[in-house]
Amino acid sequence: MSAKTIQPVVEDSTVDHADDIAAIERIIANVQTAYNTNDAELMTADFTADAAVVNAVGALMVGKDALLEANRQGLAGFLKDQYVRYDVADIVFLRPDIAIAHKVARATTAEGALIDIDHAMIALYVLVKENGRWWTAARQNTLVPQAE
């Protein structure tokens, strides 16, 4: 006979996370604002110094300096005239100071009108709370194939 392993559900419910949710939503809103205004510094501001990001084409960048440089190049280059709307799909607290969040992205016009019928990208954020502030420690972006 083999012992049955019970897989845990890892979700913190020991504290009220209302303020944490608002802070994480602000981080994602900052990225949206930064993208839409070509502000590389704002786009990078909420990452940890050793953050790791996989962009939508699968390139891994590690460290805030590498992220800032990639953001500068992208926002001054191929992303310069692109606009987006991010919607937070979910936030789960694994521990009081560790969360994962998903956002979905849709292309918009400069005025904010939606171009995509459905989301074109999904991103997974790994967030940590350090000294009372939330930071993005990792992000994985994945393009979603569009139906033809």
Side-chain angles (χ1 to χ4, degrees):
M1 293 188 102
S2 65
K4 184 175 180 178
T5 302
I6 298 174
Q7 295 174 316
V9 173
V10 181
E11 185 168 2
D12 178 67
S13 60
T14 63
V15 298
D16 178 0
H17 287 290
D19 290 341
D20 299 321
I21 291 168
I24 291 168
E25 288 174 339
R26 276 191 303 276
I27 287 172
I28 293 171
N30 285 346
V31 176
Q32 175 180 296
T33 298
Y35 190 106
N36 290 336
T37 61
N38 300 312
D39 186 339
E41 285 74 19
L42 178 60
M43 185 172 276
T44 312
D46 294 314
F47 284 94
T48 61
D50 59 346
V53 171
V54 176
N55 69 16
V57 296
L60 172 64
M61 294 155 288
V62 178
K64 198 165 183 175
D65 292 340
L67 295 175
L68 180 57
E69 183 56 30
N71 290 337
R72 283 180 177 147
Q73 288 179 15
L75 292 172
F78 69 100
L79 298 174
K80 185 176 183 177
D81 295 318
Q82 302 292 315
Y83 303 92
V84 71
R85 184 178 91 190
Y86 294 145
D87 296 311
V88 177
D90 61 46
I91 300 171
V92 176
F93 294 89
L94 304 178
R95 302 282 187 257
D97 60 346
I98 300 172
I100 57 173
H102 289 94
K103 75 174 180 192
V104 294
R106 295 170 70 183
T108 70
T109 65
E111 295 76 32
L114 291 173
I115 296 171
D116 291 324
I117 294 171
D118 203 358
H119 65 274
M121 188 193 75
I122 188 165
L124 169 66
Y125 283 69
V126 178
L127 301 119
V128 296
K129 191 173 188 179
E130 185 69 26
N131 296 322
R133 185 190 191 288
W134 283 95
W135 298 91
T136 303
R139 187 180 73 209
Q140 166 77 46
N141 298 313
T142 303
L143 292 175
V144 176
Q146 298 300 299
E148 295 188 26

